[in-house]
């Protein structure tokens, strides 16, 4: 289906007029993306949660257990905010969200440690929030290990062991941990780079069927075709072009902010960023336009797109790896553009792999982009014959 540049520009000029006079476009294409970017990046500006409230049930109350509690309180992630007389009170505090975890030290712990009777100390933590639960588990486990090590060190020293002998006994294997491309373990690098693009794609998926559906709702569909010279391909390209330019600008602004201003790691370089931003916008618009042509109802097409966008957060693979999902769910995950976006980001930008490592995901986004070509005829018939029902 051939078309002329003039037809595309005529439709694009018409679309610019619609964008300017409808504040919905301004908010969904500019204002909300800026708010979402600033919100998520500032929400995790510390890199990871800090000073999360923890309680203590210390029935031993010796200098050794008090020193252990002071060390726990000194951790960046943990803040001791309350002491409880028994486990029941501490458990109620966790259930009421006053604290996220508590450490239980039974009576006689220090005496048992000094006599090598292996006392048991317990820690309880809430996993309602996965990140909070994992971080507090790490701190509580560390302080439990350090507490026993401190007592063991003092006992061995009293028996005449040297510092080297004490360390070799308490820690026979030393772990040298290196976090690739994120040595500070900044959770914002992992999450903001998925949440913000996911929200941007949500706006793209909503605005695309909205712009098509309003043509039917307000009886402008034939005017759209007249401006396109009765050429549906020219009409679609011209209509999507202004939105594409605005969304692409916002995506590149987001990338400049997180990689240029906030200095998120990006060994892959600028080239892969520009390519990924381009594919991100075209794939979201392509999927949104395809759904709008399949379901001409404004409400239904926007509902389908919003459902698809929201589900993509579960299938992207950050909270739960796709490789560990059921095989059927692994296949379904490939139907979401955000999944392929995140894989290209991980491989190309975050780890700096060459493009041939991610060609499957690039091809998938290209296919999403050209998906509307399969339904142009259907879309044209809808613009000519569909009767909008309020």
């Amino acid at each position: 289906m051939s078309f002329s540049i003039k037809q595309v520009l005529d439709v694009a000029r018409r679309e610019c007029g619609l964008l300017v006079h409808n504040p919905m476009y301004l908010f969904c294409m500019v204002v909300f993306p800026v708010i979402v970017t600033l919100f998520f990046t500032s929400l995790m500006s510390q890199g990871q949660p800090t000073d999360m409230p923890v309680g203590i049930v210390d029935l031993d109350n010796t200098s050794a257990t008090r020193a252990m509690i002071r060390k726990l309180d000194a951790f960046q992630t943990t803040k001791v905010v309350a002491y409880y007389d028994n486990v029941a009170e501490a458990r109620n505090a966790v259930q009421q969200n006053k604290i996220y975890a508590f450490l239980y030290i039974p009576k006689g712990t220090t005496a048992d440690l000094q006599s090598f009777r292996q006392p048991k100390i317990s820690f309880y933590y809430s996993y309602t929030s996965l990140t909070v639960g994992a971080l507090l588990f790490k701190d509580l486990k560390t302080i439990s290990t350090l507490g026993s090590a401190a007592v063991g060190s003092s006992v061995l020293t009293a028996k005449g062991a040297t510092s080297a002998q004490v360390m070799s006994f308490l820690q026979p294997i030393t772990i040298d941990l290196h976090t690739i491309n994120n040595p500070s373990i900044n959770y914002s690098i992992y999450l903001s780079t998925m949440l913000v693009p996911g929200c941007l794609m949500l706006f793209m998926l909503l605005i695309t069927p909205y712009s098509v559906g309003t043509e039917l709702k307000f009886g402008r569909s034939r005017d759209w075709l007249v401006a396109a010279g009765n050429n549906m391909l020219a009409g679609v390209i011209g209509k999507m072009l202004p939105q594409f330019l605005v969304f692409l600008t916002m995506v590149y602004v987001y990338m400049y902010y997180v990689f240029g201003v906030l200095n998120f790691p990006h060994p892959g370089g600028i080239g892969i960023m520009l390519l990924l931003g381009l594919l991100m916008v075209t794939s979201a618009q392509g999927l949104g336009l395809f759904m709008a042509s399949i379901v001409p109802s404004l409400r239904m097409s926007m509902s389908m797109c919003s459902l698809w966008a929201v589900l993509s957060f579960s299938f992207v693979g950050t909270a739960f790896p796709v490789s560990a999902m059921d095989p059927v769910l692994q296949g379904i995950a490939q139907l979401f553009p955000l999944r392929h976006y995140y894989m290209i980001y991980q491989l190309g930008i975050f780890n700096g792999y060459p493009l041939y490592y991610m060609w499957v995901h690039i091809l998938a986004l290209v296919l999403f982009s050209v998906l509307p070509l399969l339904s142009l005829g259907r879309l044209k018939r809808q613009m000519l014959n569909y009767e909008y029902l309020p």
Side-chain angles (χ1 to χ4, degrees):
M1 185 184 297
S2 61
F3 61 91
S4 67
I5 300 298
K6 182 180 182 303
Q7 291 171 336
V8 172
L9 294 179
D10 288 343
V11 177
R13 192 178 301 111
R14 174 182 178 273
E15 186 67 17
C16 288
L18 297 176
L19 296 182
V20 170
H21 291 93
N22 190 339
M24 178 71 71
Y25 292 106
L26 172 65
F27 280 95
C28 289
M29 297 170 68
V30 178
V31 177
F32 291 155
V34 171
I35 292 175
V36 164
T37 301
L38 295 177
F39 172 76
F40 281 113
T41 53
S42 61
L43 181 67
M44 295 177 282
S45 59
Q46 300 293 327
Q48 56 180 288
T50 58
D51 294 333
M52 291 181 288
V54 170
I56 301 294
V57 180
D58 184 7
L59 302 184
D60 200 32
N61 195 25
T62 63
S63 59
T65 59
R66 289 192 294 270
M68 184 188 308
I69 295 169
R70 286 194 298 270
K71 291 178 181 177
L72 176 63
D73 194 33
F75 288 162
Q76 180 183 10
T77 306
T78 305
K79 182 176 180 60
V80 177
V81 296
Y83 289 81
Y84 301 96
D85 295 329
N86 53 61
V87 172
E89 290 183 6
R91 179 181 175 182
N92 288 333
V94 172
Q95 293 173 335
Q96 295 171 11
N97 273 338
K98 294 179 180 179
I99 57 176
Y100 290 123
F102 66 90
L103 180 67
Y104 170 59
I105 305 175
K107 189 173 182 61
T109 297
T110 304
D112 289 343
L113 274 172
Q114 292 174 344
S115 58
F116 295 97
R117 286 198 294 266
Q118 290 185 325
K120 292 183 179 180
I121 64 174
S122 306
F123 50 85
Y124 301 81
Y125 57 96
S126 171
Y127 234 132
T128 304
S129 171
L130 295 178
T131 301
V132 171
L135 291 174
L136 289 180
F137 168 77
K138 182 186 69 173
D139 281 2
L140 290 168
K141 184 176 181 180
T142 299
I143 201 63
S144 302
T145 304
L146 290 177
S148 60
V151 175
S153 175
S154 61
V155 172
L156 291 173
T157 302
K159 291 184 177 182
T162 64
S163 298
Q165 291 172 330
V166 170
M167 288 304 300
S168 63
F169 177 78
L170 295 177
Q171 191 177 20
I173 299 176
T174 303
I175 299 175
D176 188 12
L177 178 64
H178 298 275
T179 305
I180 299 175
N181 291 335
N182 191 7
S184 61
I185 313 181
N186 185 339
Y187 280 83
S188 185
I189 292 175
Y190 298 130
L191 297 178
S192 295
T193 50
M194 179 277 292
L195 291 172
V196 177
C199 291
L200 295 180
M201 295 182 82
L202 170 62
F203 295 136
M204 298 173 201
L205 281 169
L206 288 177
I207 283 296
T208 301
Y210 174 80
S211 64
V212 174
T214 49
E215 296 286 1
L216 292 170
K217 180 178 181 179
F218 298 112
R220 302 192 305 252
S221 57
R222 293 179 180 271
D223 297 335
W224 176 22
L225 286 176
V226 169
N230 206 34
N231 189 313
M232 198 68 245
L233 181 59
V236 166
I237 295 176
K239 190 168 190 61
M240 293 295 104
L241 183 59
Q243 300 176 28
F244 166 79
L245 294 176
V246 175
F247 276 126
L248 186 64
T249 300
M250 298 308 300
V251 169
Y252 286 156
V253 167
Y254 149 76
M255 288 184 172
Y256 172 77
Y257 178 66
V258 296
F259 297 116
V261 178
L262 300 182
N263 293 316
F264 282 16
H266 52 284
I270 297 177
I272 185 64
M273 292 184 198
L274 298 178
L275 174 63
L276 184 55
L278 177 66
L279 292 175
M280 171 185 174
V281 178
T282 57
S283 62
Q285 285 189 313
L287 180 60
L289 190 59
F290 178 74
M291 289 189 175
S293 62
I294 295 299
V295 183
S297 170
L298 176 61
R299 291 189 297 268
M300 288 301 297
S301 59
M302 291 188 67
S303 297
M304 286 177 58
C305 287
S306 62
L307 175 62
W308 211 262
V310 171
L311 284 176
S312 65
F313 289 99
S314 299
F315 284 98
V316 70
T318 53
F320 190 85
V322 173
S323 59
M325 295 181 182
D326 185 89
V328 175
L329 296 180
Q330 293 182 33
I332 294 176
Q334 310 310 314
L335 301 178
F336 297 90
L338 183 59
R339 167 62 181 169
H340 301 285
Y341 168 91
Y342 190 68
M343 288 302 297
I344 296 174
Y345 161 74
Q346 273 192 320
L347 295 170
I349 297 178
F350 187 73
N351 289 305
Y353 290 145
L355 286 178
Y356 60 80
Y357 280 93
M358 62 204 83
W359 70 268
V360 173
H361 303 289
I362 293 175
L363 178 60
L365 293 183
V366 171
L367 292 177
F368 279 116
S369 303
V370 301
L371 198 58
L373 295 178
L374 301 177
S375 57
L376 283 181
R378 178 183 176 87
L379 182 60
K380 184 176 181 179
R381 290 192 298 272
Q382 290 169 357
M383 293 300 108
L384 292 173
N385 303 318
Y386 183 78
E387 184 176 343
Y388 179 80
L389 298 177

